[in-house]
Amino acid sequence: MSLAIIMPGRNGEGLAERLKALDGGLDIQIWPDIERPEAVEFALCWQPPQGVLGDFPALKVVQSLGAGVDGLTEAIPLGVTLCRTVSPSLKTDMRDYVLLAILAEQRQWDAMAADQAQGHWQPRHYRRGGVVGIMGLGELGQAVAAGLAGLGFQLKGWSRTLKRLPAMETFHGPEQLEDFLADLDYLICLLPLTDQTRGLMDSGFFAKLGKPCYLIQAGRGPQLVEADLRSALDQGLLRGACLDVFDVEPLPPSSPLWQHPRVRITPHCASVTSGKELAKAVYHNYLAMCQGLALDQVVDPEQGY
Ligand code: GLV
């Protein structure tokens, strides 16, 4: 019985060491050096090469290294259970990223950094509070909401199906999107990538914003139509945007987003699963698989999250 680590370009050896520290008896194979594919029953994956999961006839469980499972829902062989990893630090990191992005925009931090580079003393007015709308009310969305609660923001939430959450007005489904977008000062996207969310943020969507809003996009790149984002910025529908995820990653050097004065770019690192927590979560599910117990963070492949 073997556990495969398939995460091209990432530190598979480091993770294998952490897993070995939890259980020295684990049989771990790291892609591409998988010598006994027939023994692999559990695969930990991040952006696995196309078709690779078909090489393991005994595969039972695939676990994503992160919260997102896009790319895996389509690749998973029939009958294999798909899980994701939402570690405690993934939630606190996302909470902090969103708060940082909001406060940096409110306090005009970028403008002051530019002033400093010019040796220019220019006190600036700043915003306070405001209406914050969170799209995606799963574990990350709820962690962000809990972090913002009590800090002077009015919270709204939008999800596919109805969710009732404390201290937040909630909306759901396409028919309530317009009401959700009507009065936002900040719009945060933490949605999973599904057929319903692909291309969601397009010009029609931005036209529904009731007032100029600041977008924080930490969901998945293909949810945002980048050309429509630029038009929304030009038309004043958006005050600015902080983007962590992109249609094509790494963002190509030719992308006009790099140079946009009102776009802040971070390279898909808003929140990152810590190696220690990842090893713990994987080991937990690996043991559960071996003992026939319920796995944590099982994904519904139909819903895509
Ligand atoms: C990061 O993008 C994740 O899915 O955890």
Side-chain angles (χ1 to χ4, degrees), residues 87-108:
S87 62
S89 64
L90 199 76
K91 294 191 260 188
T92 48
D93 284 2
M94 188 58 86
R95 173 202 67 195
D96 294 350
Y97 177 86
V98 169
L99 183 58
L100 174 65
I102 292 177
L103 293 181
E105 200 264 345
Q106 292 200 323
R107 296 292 182 125
Q108 300 201 46

Side-chain angles (χ1 to χ4, degrees), residues 46 65-68 85 90 219-220 245 268 271 273:
W46 189 250
L65 153 70
T85 310
L90 199 76
R220 281 293 183 262
V245 291
H268 200 148
S271 73
T273 308

Side-chain angles (χ1 to χ4, degrees), residues 1 3 19 22-23 26 42 61 63 279-295:
M1 192 180 295
L3 188 160
L19 283 164
L22 292 174
D23 182 344
L26 285 177
F42 189 108
V61 177
Q63 180 153 351
K280 223 170 120 189
V282 168
Y283 186 54
H284 172 94
N285 268 351
Y286 179 79
L287 280 188
M289 178 196 76
C290 297
Q291 296 165 3
L293 300 174
L295 301 171

Side-chain angles (χ1 to χ4, degrees), residues 128-161:
R128 295 188 181 88
V131 184
V132 177
I134 302 173
M135 294 200 296
L137 300 175
E139 295 203 52
L140 293 178
Q142 291 187 35
V144 168
L148 295 179
L151 296 181
F153 300 105
Q154 184 189 329
L155 297 179
K156 291 174 82 174
W158 183 79
S159 49
R160 190 179 63 84
T161 54

Side-chain angles (χ1 to χ4, degrees), residues 103-109 111-112 115 122-128:
L103 293 181
E105 200 264 345
Q106 292 200 323
R107 296 292 182 125
Q108 300 201 46
W109 218 238
M112 287 197 281
D115 290 342
Q122 169 72 61
R124 289 177 182 269
H125 294 295
Y126 48 84
R127 297 172 175 272
R128 295 188 181 88

Side-chain angles (χ1 to χ4, degrees), residues 60-290:
K60 289 192 183 131
V61 177
V62 169
Q63 180 153 351
S64 168
L65 153 70
V69 289
D70 40 299
L72 284 174
T73 40
E74 307 86 49
I76 191 122
L78 211 64
V80 172
T81 304
L82 177 60
C83 302
R84 60 195 198 123
T85 310
V86 186
S87 62
S89 64
L90 199 76
K91 294 191 260 188
T92 48
D93 284 2
M94 188 58 86
R95 173 202 67 195
D96 294 350
Y97 177 86
V98 169
L99 183 58
L100 174 65
I102 292 177
L103 293 181
E105 200 264 345
Q106 292 200 323
R107 296 292 182 125
Q108 300 201 46
W109 218 238
D110 289 346
M112 287 197 281
D115 290 342
Q116 179 179 350
Q118 305 294 325
H120 187 47
W121 180 271
Q122 169 72 61
R124 289 177 182 269
H125 294 295
Y126 48 84
R127 297 172 175 272
R128 295 188 181 88
V131 184
V132 177
I134 302 173
M135 294 200 296
L137 300 175
E139 295 203 52
L140 293 178
Q142 291 187 35
V144 168
L148 295 179
L151 296 181
F153 300 105
Q154 184 189 329
L155 297 179
K156 291 174 82 174
W158 183 79
S159 49
R160 190 179 63 84
T161 54
L162 175 65
K163 292 222 167 103
R164 293 191 200 285
L165 296 170
M168 172 186 265
E169 189 184 3
T170 52
F171 300 79
H172 68 283
E175 57 291 342
Q176 294 188 357
L177 186 61
E178 194 152 352
D179 288 343
F180 167 71
L181 295 174
D183 55 353
L184 302 183
D185 297 293
Y186 292 91
L187 171 63
I188 298 153
C189 177
L190 295 169
L191 290 165
L193 184 62
T194 65
D195 288 346
Q196 289 76 39
T197 67
R198 191 178 293 277
L200 174 73
M201 289 181 276
D202 61 5
S203 50
F205 173 96
F206 292 124
K208 294 190 175 88
L209 288 167
K211 59 178 173 174
C213 176
Y214 187 82
L215 171 68
I216 298 167
Q217 161 59 327
R220 281 293 183 262
Q223 294 159 345
L224 175 65
V225 181
E226 291 176 5
D228 292 2
L229 167 83
R230 284 185 283 120
S231 306
L233 288 163
D234 293 345
Q235 291 165 29
L237 300 173
L238 288 173
R239 297 196 304 278
C242 173
L243 310 176
D244 187 57
V245 291
F246 302 88
D247 219 357
V248 178
E249 294 181 7
L251 184 63
S254 60
S255 169
L257 290 174
W258 284 112
Q259 313 302 336
H260 200 292
R262 284 184 288 134
V263 173
R264 146 82 53 176
I265 286 170
T266 55
H268 200 148
C269 58
S271 73
V272 175
T273 308
S274 94
K276 195 169 161 196
E277 290 176 353
L278 176 63
K280 223 170 120 189
V282 168
Y283 186 54
H284 172 94
N285 268 351
Y286 179 79
L287 280 188
M289 178 196 76
C290 297

